[in-house]
Amino acid sequence: MLPLRSLAIPVAVTALSLGALALSPAAAQPSQPSADVAQDAPAAGISGVVPRPTSWQPAPGQTRLGSDTRLLIDPHSASRWTTGATQPGLAQRSTMSVAQEIAGDLSAILPSRPKVSAAVKTADRDDVVVTLTRDPGLGAEGYQLRVGPGPIRIEANTSTGVYYAARTLQQMLRTGDHQTVSAGTVRDVPTQAVRQVMLDAGRKYWQPAYLKNLVRQMSWMKMNTLFLQLSDSEGFRLDSPKFPGLANPAVSYSRNEIHDLVTFAAKHHVMVVPGIDVPGHATVLSNYFGIGFGQGTDPCGPQHMHSHLTPDWVIDLTSPRSTQVTRDLLTEFLPWFDAPYAHLGADELPGQLGDCPRVQRALAADPDADTLGDLLSRFINDADKTVRGLGKRSIIYNGVEHMDSPRQDVNDDVVFMTWEGSGSEPEIPGKDEIAIGPFYVTPNNYHHLYPDQQWMYDEWVPSQASDMLGSGLMNWADYNFWAKDAYFEQLMAMPRAILADRTWNASPTPDTVAEFRSRVTTLGSAPGTTAEPTVPRVNDGRPSHRWTFDNASYPSGWTYAGSPGNTLFAQDAVGDLPGTSYIINNPTPVPGVTGQAWRFDNDRDGVGFGGLDVQAPWTFSTWVRRTGTTGPNGNSTLLSSNASAIKLEQWKACSKVGFTAKGVADHSFDYVTPLNEWVHLTMVATPTRTDLYVNGAFHSSVAASVPLPMRSIGDVGSSIRGDLDDVTTYDEALSPTQVLAAYQKYGVAGSSQQGACG
């Protein structure tokens, strides 16, 4: 079975009858509220629609839909998906098929599912009439939605425009009384053609159920491109019998699963763009095919690579086999997707690689390449030739344009995703672009990148230049390889909504970003969105997570790409939330209370988990040996999230142990851990109180609590100065007897001393 975009029925359209559905006498009169409408029931206008329509002309009156409402399709439009207007990636679904989808969505709002027909000749005032038209001003995705007098009328050049008009109508109904909409005319055309969300699927495996929910949410706000970067240094997420073992089937996608996703996305007018990142970000490919720069005779060394990575992070650009492997991968996997684009990566190649003797010898023998930049540009062009042969257009990240490449230029048709610019203007003359620079969600405490929502909403003006194809929200899973899908969703949801609003309607915003957030919250989730599975709490005295910091290997399906000592792996011995340390500054393994501990001695030291905060009741315990002090106004963090933090040293509290509700209050216990002595700390929280235990014995209480933060060890600029061993969490409030037993099981006595205050 082919994806839906391949099911187009080519029809030579010469004219469409816009009057095929005559109005009944009743429908010809101005629409008035029905007698059964409460006088104070609000009629739905466009104030709650996201993204904002680009034009709205209100009119007197309103139209009420109900159990008799029908979707009436112009017979000349029913089997068509376009009247000639098109753009790359449009879902080629017949208007009748789209109407059936719309009826299903409306059934969740109206009293009953509207009947769909292309045979009815007469429309009533509570019907919705759908027609494909020829309107140059609407383009490929625009639409016109007219409410009253008479039936609601949807006109668009494509079935995608029809779908988006219905999204607007559904939102108008949902934000009103679910049946009544204000009269007027919406004429709506997007500012940018590509409105994108990207997921880092090479580093993190995303559950198929989440991907479908994301597609629903994107289509709800008229976003049309889901970019899945399916390979990176740590993993490859496409499983094919042609390359057995390259991907772990348990944490990758088969061809059938991709087909299912692509077909589902097409039903929601979202195209799925695949990405295979080469020649960098490719450790997993180097290991599988034996084509890394660090392999073979006379390999490149650490001095030729980014300091935190091995030379195998880049496949060997001097080897014809690397080029052939890339062709083979593209030829195998790109046909799984029907989108007209494919992403090749091509970013972050280290310049010092040009000093590697292997590279220098290859350049000396190559009449068509003088520099490392020449090698990269030629590699991109060869991959682009394969992509074009498969009927697609290549996209790369920008960066190659900064490299000296006197003999090779990247092909003109290659699209650049520009991560260095502001997203307001094209950055690279002569190249089509997709702006991504200001729109990074990279939620680790090393990169700490979150889109500036106020700037996006109040100040950013999306470019309408002909060579700016669109803009994209990027979700990077660096050092959150095993994070929960919901962890990323809660961080990307609002920036995604703002990007959807601004890329559709670039006109000045009418309200504040806080008011916009309120409108998005009121609007709610897309029709059909499924609830995030509830993870049962562990409430039988057993821990939910335990990080021992003993040596362990990455789980199957992930490849270790760091140089020795970088990105240490923190195994979760009892749960499903392992983590990794960040690059450059890393904890140091040292002897622990039992086995190995990690020493943290830099504000950029930390461990990323990407878990969801746990509401009280909860228990947290750890062995800690404070090895340094941050002074009387110190602030060092054991666990953190955007909402709360558990503190080894509370800010402006004389280095006392405490906890914080961020932006609300800092709390502290009258206890300071001793320097250079192991001590066992336990916090037990209920909704109204938090108790501190030291070495299994109750110490003191604070009449407040916070959610247990599960994002990371450490916070931005406030990692601890000390050693940690056996960090453990519980989904319940342990009793004093249980706390004592948990401490005594170690058979080790913690320090009985207390540190000096100040």
Side-chain angles (χ1 to χ4, degrees):
M1 180 178 177
L2 293 174
L4 289 177
R5 283 193 188 82
S6 301
L7 298 181
I9 302 174
V11 178
V13 181
T14 57
L16 292 176
S17 172
L18 303 186
L21 291 172
L23 297 179
S24 69
Q29 301 301 316
S31 176
Q32 299 295 329
S34 301
D36 59 344
V37 180
Q39 293 302 308
D40 58 352
I46 65 159
S47 61
V49 175
V50 180
R52 290 174 299 126
T54 52
S55 174
W56 163 248
Q57 295 295 326
Q62 54 193 26
T63 293
R64 181 173 174 81
L65 306 183
S67 56
D68 295 328
T69 292
R70 300 171 296 177
L71 280 176
L72 305 182
I73 316 304
D74 169 33
H76 297 278
S77 306
S79 63
R80 298 180 171 91
W81 69 275
T82 180
T83 60
T86 189
Q87 72 182 33
L90 282 188
Q92 298 173 4
R93 302 178 62 206
S94 72
T95 303
M96 177 58 76
S97 174
V98 169
Q100 295 289 354
E101 193 82 19
I102 293 168
D105 290 340
L106 284 172
S107 68
I109 304 173
L110 299 177
S112 60
R113 179 189 177 103
K115 295 179 180 179
V116 181
S117 176
V120 178
K121 298 296 184 181
T122 303
D124 297 330
R125 71 171 63 192
D126 59 352
D127 289 334
V128 179
V129 178
V130 177
T131 306
L132 289 188
T133 185
R134 283 185 178 274
D135 186 336
L138 295 179
E141 295 182 293
Y143 63 89
Q144 183 166 280
L145 172 66
R146 289 186 291 167
V147 181
I152 294 175
R153 292 190 176 276
I154 291 174
E155 297 173 1
N157 294 328
T158 68
S159 62
T160 296
V162 170
Y163 184 81
Y164 288 153
R167 285 312 207 195
T168 295
L169 177 60
Q170 292 158 24
Q171 291 188 12
M172 292 171 71
L173 288 166
R174 183 183 281 190
T175 55
D177 68 356
H178 286 213
Q179 288 189 253
T180 311
V181 288
S182 298
T185 299
V186 175
R187 189 171 173 85
D188 204 7
V189 182
T191 295
Q192 294 188 329
V194 174
R195 303 174 302 280
Q196 171 187 283
V197 172
M198 173 270 191
L199 297 183
D200 180 355
R203 296 188 177 99
K204 172 179 154 47
Y205 173 71
W206 305 79
Q207 295 293 332
Y210 172 75
L211 296 178
K212 289 186 175 181
N213 268 349
L214 176 60
V215 164
R216 292 184 180 98
Q217 301 286 42
M218 290 172 61
S219 76
W220 188 226
M221 296 186 178
K222 305 183 178 74
M223 302 188 83
N224 61 8
T225 305
L226 174 58
F227 166 30
L228 296 179
Q229 181 163 302
L230 292 155
S231 75
D232 210 294
S233 47
E234 288 82 9
F236 195 89
R237 302 288 168 226
L238 296 174
D239 182 33
S240 167
K242 186 171 182 179
F243 304 108
L246 175 58
N248 180 341
V251 286
S252 61
Y253 310 103
S254 67
R255 184 163 192 166
N256 285 340
E257 288 174 315
I258 292 295
H259 171 78
D260 180 59
L261 176 64
V262 167
T263 303
F264 180 85
K267 288 179 62 177
H268 292 78
H269 297 261
V270 173
M271 61 177 167
V272 182
V273 174
I276 296 177
D277 206 342
V278 285
H281 292 269
T283 307
V284 65
L285 299 179
S286 294
N287 289 356
Y288 183 83
F289 293 103
I291 54 175
F293 262 121
Q295 301 175 11
T297 58
D298 195 17
C300 299
Q303 70 274 24
H304 304 125
M305 186 49 54
H306 302 304
S307 62
H308 58 287
L309 299 165
T310 70
D312 288 335
W313 190 76
V314 182
I315 61 175
D316 186 354
L317 288 171
T318 70
S319 168
R321 185 158 183 264
S322 294
T323 302
Q324 187 58 52
V325 163
T326 301
R327 293 172 187 163
D328 292 344
L329 290 170
L330 297 174
T331 300
E332 170 64 12
F333 293 114
L334 295 194
W336 294 18
F337 302 83
D338 66 352
Y341 300 101
H343 206 295
L344 302 174
D347 59 319
E348 298 188 312
L349 201 69
Q352 61 268 33
L353 194 58
D355 298 328
C356 175
R358 180 187 290 183
V359 174
Q360 292 181 339
R361 282 195 303 272
L363 290 172
D366 192 334
D368 297 319
D370 289 345
T371 65
L372 180 65
D374 281 332
L375 293 179
L376 178 57
S377 295
R378 187 169 63 188
F379 178 88
I380 293 169
N381 289 341
D382 186 89
D384 177 53
K385 182 179 179 181
T386 300
V387 171
R388 285 186 284 115
L390 294 167
K392 302 181 186 296
R393 189 176 182 189
S394 299
I395 306 174
I396 62 173
Y397 297 113
N398 82 284
V400 64
E401 75 279 7
H402 299 315
M403 300 183 73
D404 182 27
S405 53
R407 293 185 178 273
Q408 301 287 336
D409 292 321
V410 173
N411 292 339
D412 288 341
D413 67 328
V414 173
V415 178
F416 280 63
M417 276 191 180
T418 49
W419 56 272
E420 294 175 317
S422 68
S424 298
E425 294 296 338
E427 295 291 319
I428 305 173
K431 299 293 186 183
D432 285 347
E433 299 177 28
I434 298 171
I436 61 173
F439 314 121
Y440 272 36
V441 178
T442 314
N444 62 67
N445 291 333
Y446 181 86
H447 294 100
H448 190 57
L449 295 175
Y450 305 89
D452 184 336
Q453 297 180 33
Q454 183 169 339
W455 172 83
M456 288 175 66
Y457 194 69
D458 292 342
E459 300 180 37
W460 176 50
V461 180
S463 172
Q464 299 183 52
S466 60
D467 56 349
M468 183 68 83
L469 303 184
S471 304
L473 180 71
M474 311 295 285
N475 297 277
W476 293 105
D478 306 58
Y479 320 116
N480 282 297
F481 306 154
W482 303 280
K484 302 300 183 184
D485 295 344
Y487 169 75
F488 273 92
E489 175 61 21
Q490 68 184 2
L491 297 172
M492 80 165 92
M494 199 56 66
R496 184 178 67 222
I498 296 174
L499 189 81
D501 187 75
R502 301 299 294 128
T503 54
W504 186 275
N505 186 346
S507 67
T509 50
D511 54 2
T512 67
V513 69
E515 290 168 326
F516 175 80
R517 293 190 191 107
S518 178
R519 287 196 285 120
V520 171
T521 300
T522 299
L523 182 61
S525 296
T529 301
T530 58
E532 183 73 19
T534 300
V535 179
R537 293 174 71 102
V538 179
N539 56 8
D540 58 0
R542 294 178 300 157
S544 53
H545 302 285
R546 174 172 289 150
W547 299 282
T548 65
F549 307 114
D550 294 333
N551 290 329
S553 300
Y554 275 9
S556 177
W558 279 266
T559 295
Y560 184 76
S563 57
N566 286 98
T567 55
L568 305 181
F569 175 58
Q571 182 182 35
D572 185 350
V574 299
D576 62 350
L577 195 64
T580 55
S581 64
Y582 310 135
I583 60 173
I584 310 301
N585 299 110
N586 282 265
T588 302
V590 296
V593 174
T594 59
Q596 183 174 273
W598 282 3
R599 173 163 296 169
F600 298 79
D601 58 9
N602 188 286
D603 275 339
R604 300 187 85 173
D605 281 354
V607 179
F609 299 126
L612 297 173
D613 292 357
V614 177
Q615 299 298 318
W618 52 260
T619 300
F620 161 78
S621 71
T622 185
W623 283 96
V624 61
R625 177 169 58 187
R626 190 161 60 96
T627 58
T629 179
T630 57
N633 293 332
N635 191 35
S636 61
T637 305
L638 291 166
L639 286 181
S640 70
S641 72
N642 283 355
S644 57
I646 304 298
K647 301 289 187 65
L648 179 64
E649 298 175 79
Q650 182 62 279
W651 181 69
K652 291 187 177 180
C654 196
S655 300
K656 295 178 181 178
V657 173
F659 57 94
T660 293
K662 292 186 177 179
V664 179
D666 296 306
H667 304 278
S668 59
F669 302 94
D670 191 19
Y671 178 77
V672 178
T673 56
L675 281 171
N676 301 312
E677 297 284 346
W678 283 107
V679 63
H680 191 259
L681 298 180
T682 302
M683 286 188 193
V684 179
T686 67
T688 59
R689 161 177 162 167
T690 305
D691 296 338
L692 175 68
Y693 292 78
V694 178
N695 297 326
F698 174 77
H699 182 276
S700 56
S701 292
V702 171
S705 69
V706 296
L708 178 63
M710 299 296 292
R711 177 186 69 189
S712 59
I713 292 175
D715 210 337
V716 179
S718 66
S719 183
I720 70 169
R721 298 297 192 274
D723 304 339
L724 287 183
D725 196 4
D726 214 32
V727 173
T728 306
T729 68
Y730 301 80
D731 291 344
E732 60 184 320
L734 296 186
S735 68
T737 300
Q738 289 174 310
V739 170
L740 179 61
Y743 163 68
Q744 290 178 332
K745 74 182 180 65
Y746 292 97
V748 177
S751 172
S752 60
Q753 302 180 24
Q754 178 166 333
C757 183

